[in-house]
Each structure stands twice: as structure tokens, then as C-alpha cells.
Amino acid sequence: MMQIQGAKDIVGGGVLIVLALVLGRQSIVLPLGTSVRMGPGYFPLVLCVILVVLGLVILFRGFRSRSGPPKGIAWRGLGLILASVLFFAFALRPLGLIPTLTGTAFLATLASTRFHLKTAVPLTVGLVVFSWAVFVEGLGLPFVLFGPWIGG
């Protein structure tokens, strides 16, 4: 019987590919447009293609690696990443972009087993500043920086 050496990478790559195919199928329903004049489905489809490529790289790497079978699920990390996404979804309107990104980034850094406050704080600040610079200043998206719950 053949023993799979890199089961974690094979499972992870497969999950990424399936997720990208499901989401890509949904994005095709939207008008794609062209690369010069992108429609609402263009960018999600491009992201799905990139995700499939990354999934394939991880999948094929799994056939070459010598890591053992998965030892379990990192429930703490999974829960905190899910919590950070939900926090962003529900807090963006009432809190605004800056406080929501700060909370989301900090929750996501807590998911790591290598969490240290001295690296989490600069990472959080850097992500918030970068996001503000790109999305608000650079692209001019109409995000409310501080929402009504904060007095903005």
C-alpha cells in the first residue's frame, strides 16, 4: 500500500483548489469585462485563478515532501481567524475602518502560536496605515474612518 508522505500539503492544496473552483464558478455569473475595463466579476476570477495555481503548487509539493500525516486541527488559530473575519464584517459600519482594521489585525495575530505583543502591535499598526494609504488615499474609496459608535 502506498503511503502519502506530505498529507498536510496534499489536503491543503486540494482544499484551496476546490474553494477556488467554487468561488470562480460564482464569479463567472457576473460580467467580466476586459483587462482595460474590468467588470465586477473580473478581479474575483483572477484571484480564483491565482488561488488554483497556489493550490496546485502546494499539492505537488505534498507529493515530494516527507512530512507526516496531519496531527490535528489548530482550533485556537482557526477560531481566532474566523473571529477576526466576523469582527470585520460586523464592526466596519458601526466602528469605522481604522478601529475595525486594528481589531481584525490584532485578533489575527493572536491566532499564531508565536504571538508576541512586541511584534503584533507594529504589524497591526503597519497593516492599518498601509490599508488606509492604499484604499482611502490611493484609491479614494469612501470608507468612514471612525464610525458612529466612536463619534465619527
Side-chain angles (χ1 to χ4, degrees), residues 13-147:
V15 167
L16 289 178
I17 292 169
V18 169
L19 181 66
L21 292 175
V22 168
L23 295 175
R25 185 177 182 280
Q26 292 177 349
S27 71
I28 288 180
V29 175
L30 300 170
L32 295 176
T34 64
S35 58
V36 175
R37 189 162 174 86
M38 297 179 201
Y42 187 89
F43 190 65
L45 185 62
V46 168
L47 289 179
C48 289
V49 169
I50 292 170
L51 193 58
V52 165
V53 170
L54 290 174
L56 286 171
V57 168
I58 293 169
L59 181 78
F60 289 128
R61 192 181 108 191
F63 286 113
R64 294 185 14 202
S65 74
R66 299 245 179 235
S67 66
K71 292 181 176 62
I73 297 174
W75 291 109
R76 176 179 174 246
L78 182 65
L80 285 168
I81 293 296
L82 180 61
S84 69
V85 171
L86 291 173
F87 176 76
F88 185 85
F90 291 114
L92 185 59
R93 286 184 190 229
L95 294 178
L97 183 68
I98 302 297
T100 302
L101 275 177
T102 303
T104 300
F106 194 75
L107 271 174
T109 59
L110 288 174
S112 173
T113 56
R114 301 176 189 167
F115 171 79
H116 295 290
L117 195 59
K118 63 183 175 183
T119 55
V121 170
L123 184 65
T124 300
V125 170
L127 179 68
V128 170
V129 169
F130 176 78
S131 298
W132 167 79
V134 169
F135 295 111
V136 176
E137 292 299 316
L139 295 174
L141 296 178
F143 283 113
V144 174
L145 297 182
F146 295 96

